[in-house]
Amino acid sequence: MPAAGVRRVADQYVTLMRAGRLDALDALMAPDVVRVAPLETGGDPVERRGTAQIVANADRLLADVEINAVDVDPPLLDDDRFAVRFRFDQTHTPTGARSSTTKLSLYTVTDGLISREEVFYYDAPQAVST
């Protein structure tokens, strides 16, 4: 059974994502949060540490992408972790090509903050460039 803190963080995270409030997510992240998303780096198992590195990577990935819509499923809860599935409807701005990407992120919560995110893609991200 998940701890109450995990449920609170998961619910807040999903609420903010659904509202497009990416600016408010920092409050849920540990200062040294780790994000692991190998498909975003061409398959290399690279970890991003801290929100500055994570945001810089997101900016790189989305430089030529317009997000049209994001569907966020309710969180799946477990002891100190939760998972969320996302579906992105996006347009590659240089070509106008529209596509979708689906991913599942597994979050670990430590001391009431997200300390780790592991990203698994159903569809590879469209804007990967190394």
Side-chain angles (χ1 to χ4, degrees):
M1 171 168 259
V6 172
R7 179 175 299 280
R8 177 191 57 78
V9 170
D11 289 343
Q12 286 179 340
Y13 187 88
V14 166
T15 297
L16 291 169
M17 285 296 295
R18 286 179 175 162
R21 294 285 321 277
L22 304 181
D23 59 316
L25 292 175
D26 279 358
L28 299 176
M29 304 289 176
D32 58 348
V33 61
V34 173
R35 184 170 196 269
V36 182
L39 286 181
E40 293 176 3
T41 62
D44 295 330
V46 175
E47 293 184 350
R48 308 286 184 205
R49 292 189 174 276
T51 55
Q53 282 188 7
I54 293 169
V55 168
N57 185 56
D59 289 345
R60 178 186 64 83
L61 288 172
L62 298 174
D64 293 335
V65 176
E66 177 183 342
I67 302 295
N68 305 308
V70 180
D71 291 322
V72 183
D73 287 352
L76 303 169
L77 303 168
D78 189 33
D79 295 328
D80 65 344
R81 300 181 298 174
F82 69 96
V84 178
R85 187 172 71 165
F86 303 88
R87 286 174 302 284
F88 300 91
D89 174 25
Q90 59 208 19
T91 301
H92 184 244
T93 52
T95 64
R98 198 160 180 166
S99 64
S100 64
T101 297
T102 303
K103 72 172 188 166
L104 177 88
S105 286
L106 175 63
Y107 302 92
T108 302
V109 177
T110 307
D111 298 327
L113 296 172
I114 296 171
S115 58
R116 184 175 182 85
E117 176 187 13
E118 298 172 66
V119 181
F120 304 90
Y121 282 94
Y122 293 92
D123 310 298
Q126 302 298 311
V128 172
S129 61
T130 54

CSV table of all heavy atoms in Angstrom, one decimal, residues 61-66 91-98 126-127:
chain,number,residue,atom,x,y,z
A,61,LEU,N,14.8,18.8,-26.7
A,61,LEU,CA,13.9,17.8,-27.3
A,61,LEU,C,12.8,18.5,-28.0
A,61,LEU,O,12.3,18.1,-29.0
A,61,LEU,CB,13.4,16.8,-26.3
A,61,LEU,CG,14.4,15.7,-25.9
A,61,LEU,CD1,13.8,14.9,-24.7
A,61,LEU,CD2,14.8,14.8,-27.0
A,62,LEU,N,12.3,19.6,-27.4
A,62,LEU,CA,11.1,20.3,-27.9
A,62,LEU,C,11.4,21.5,-28.7
A,62,LEU,O,10.5,22.2,-29.1
A,62,LEU,CB,10.2,20.6,-26.7
A,62,LEU,CG,9.7,19.5,-25.9
A,62,LEU,CD1,9.0,19.9,-24.6
A,62,LEU,CD2,8.9,18.5,-26.7
A,63,ALA,N,12.6,21.7,-29.1
A,63,ALA,CA,13.0,22.9,-29.8
A,63,ALA,C,12.2,23.1,-31.2
A,63,ALA,O,11.8,24.2,-31.5
A,63,ALA,CB,14.5,22.9,-30.1
A,64,ASP,N,12.0,21.9,-31.8
A,64,ASP,CA,11.3,22.0,-33.1
A,64,ASP,C,9.9,21.3,-33.0
A,64,ASP,O,9.4,20.8,-34.0
A,64,ASP,CB,12.1,21.3,-34.2
A,64,ASP,CG,13.4,22.0,-34.5
A,64,ASP,OD1,13.4,23.2,-34.3
A,64,ASP,OD2,14.3,21.4,-35.0
A,65,VAL,N,9.3,21.2,-31.8
A,65,VAL,CA,8.1,20.5,-31.6
A,65,VAL,C,7.1,21.4,-31.0
A,65,VAL,O,7.4,22.1,-30.0
A,65,VAL,CB,8.3,19.3,-30.8
A,65,VAL,CG1,7.0,18.6,-30.4
A,65,VAL,CG2,9.3,18.3,-31.4
A,66,GLU,N,5.9,21.4,-31.5
A,66,GLU,CA,4.7,22.1,-30.9
A,66,GLU,C,3.8,21.0,-30.3
A,66,GLU,O,3.4,20.1,-31.0
A,66,GLU,CB,3.9,22.9,-31.9
A,66,GLU,CG,2.7,23.6,-31.3
A,66,GLU,CD,1.9,24.3,-32.4
A,66,GLU,OE1,2.5,24.6,-33.5
A,66,GLU,OE2,0.8,24.6,-32.1
A,91,THR,N,3.4,18.4,-33.2
A,91,THR,CA,3.7,18.7,-34.6
A,91,THR,C,5.2,19.1,-34.7
A,91,THR,O,5.7,19.9,-33.9
A,91,THR,CB,2.8,19.9,-35.1
A,91,THR,OG1,1.5,19.5,-35.0
A,91,THR,CG2,3.2,20.3,-36.5
A,92,HIS,N,5.9,18.5,-35.6
A,92,HIS,CA,7.3,18.8,-35.9
A,92,HIS,C,7.2,20.1,-36.8
A,92,HIS,O,6.8,20.1,-37.9
A,92,HIS,CB,8.0,17.7,-36.7
A,92,HIS,CG,9.4,17.9,-36.9
A,92,HIS,ND1,9.9,18.1,-38.2
A,92,HIS,CD2,10.4,18.1,-36.1
A,92,HIS,CE1,11.2,18.3,-38.1
A,92,HIS,NE2,11.6,18.3,-36.8
A,93,THR,N,7.6,21.3,-36.2
A,93,THR,CA,7.3,22.6,-36.8
A,93,THR,C,8.1,22.8,-38.1
A,93,THR,O,7.5,23.4,-39.0
A,93,THR,CB,7.6,23.7,-35.8
A,93,THR,OG1,8.9,23.5,-35.2
A,93,THR,CG2,6.6,23.7,-34.7
A,94,PRO,N,9.3,22.3,-38.3
A,94,PRO,CA,9.9,22.5,-39.6
A,94,PRO,C,9.2,21.8,-40.8
A,94,PRO,O,9.2,22.3,-41.9
A,94,PRO,CB,11.3,21.9,-39.5
A,94,PRO,CG,11.6,22.0,-38.0
A,94,PRO,CD,10.2,21.7,-37.4
A,95,THR,N,8.5,20.7,-40.5
A,95,THR,CA,7.9,19.9,-41.6
A,95,THR,C,6.4,20.0,-41.6
A,95,THR,O,5.7,19.6,-42.5
A,95,THR,CB,8.3,18.4,-41.6
A,95,THR,OG1,7.9,17.9,-40.3
A,95,THR,CG2,9.8,18.3,-41.7
A,96,GLY,N,5.8,20.3,-40.4
A,96,GLY,CA,4.4,20.3,-40.2
A,96,GLY,C,3.8,18.9,-40.0
A,96,GLY,O,2.6,18.7,-39.9
A,97,ALA,N,4.7,17.9,-39.9
A,97,ALA,CA,4.3,16.5,-39.6
A,97,ALA,C,3.7,16.3,-38.2
A,97,ALA,O,4.4,16.7,-37.3
A,97,ALA,CB,5.5,15.5,-39.9
A,98,ARG,N,2.6,15.7,-38.1
A,98,ARG,CA,1.9,15.5,-36.9
A,98,ARG,C,2.1,14.1,-36.4
A,98,ARG,O,2.1,13.2,-37.3
A,98,ARG,CB,0.4,15.8,-37.0
A,98,ARG,CG,-0.2,16.1,-35.6
A,98,ARG,CD,-1.5,16.8,-35.8
A,98,ARG,NE,-2.1,17.0,-34.5
A,98,ARG,CZ,-3.1,17.8,-34.3
A,98,ARG,NH1,-3.6,18.5,-35.3
A,98,ARG,NH2,-3.6,18.0,-33.1
A,126,GLN,N,10.1,12.0,-31.1
A,126,GLN,CA,10.3,12.4,-32.5
A,126,GLN,C,11.4,13.4,-32.7
A,126,GLN,O,11.9,13.5,-33.8
A,126,GLN,CB,9.0,13.0,-33.0
A,126,GLN,CG,7.8,12.1,-32.9
A,126,GLN,CD,8.0,10.8,-33.7
A,126,GLN,OE1,8.3,10.8,-34.8
A,126,GLN,NE2,7.8,9.6,-33.1
A,127,ALA,N,11.8,14.1,-31.7
A,127,ALA,CA,12.7,15.2,-31.9
A,127,ALA,C,14.1,14.9,-31.3
A,127,ALA,O,14.9,15.8,-31.0
A,127,ALA,CB,12.2,16.5,-31.2
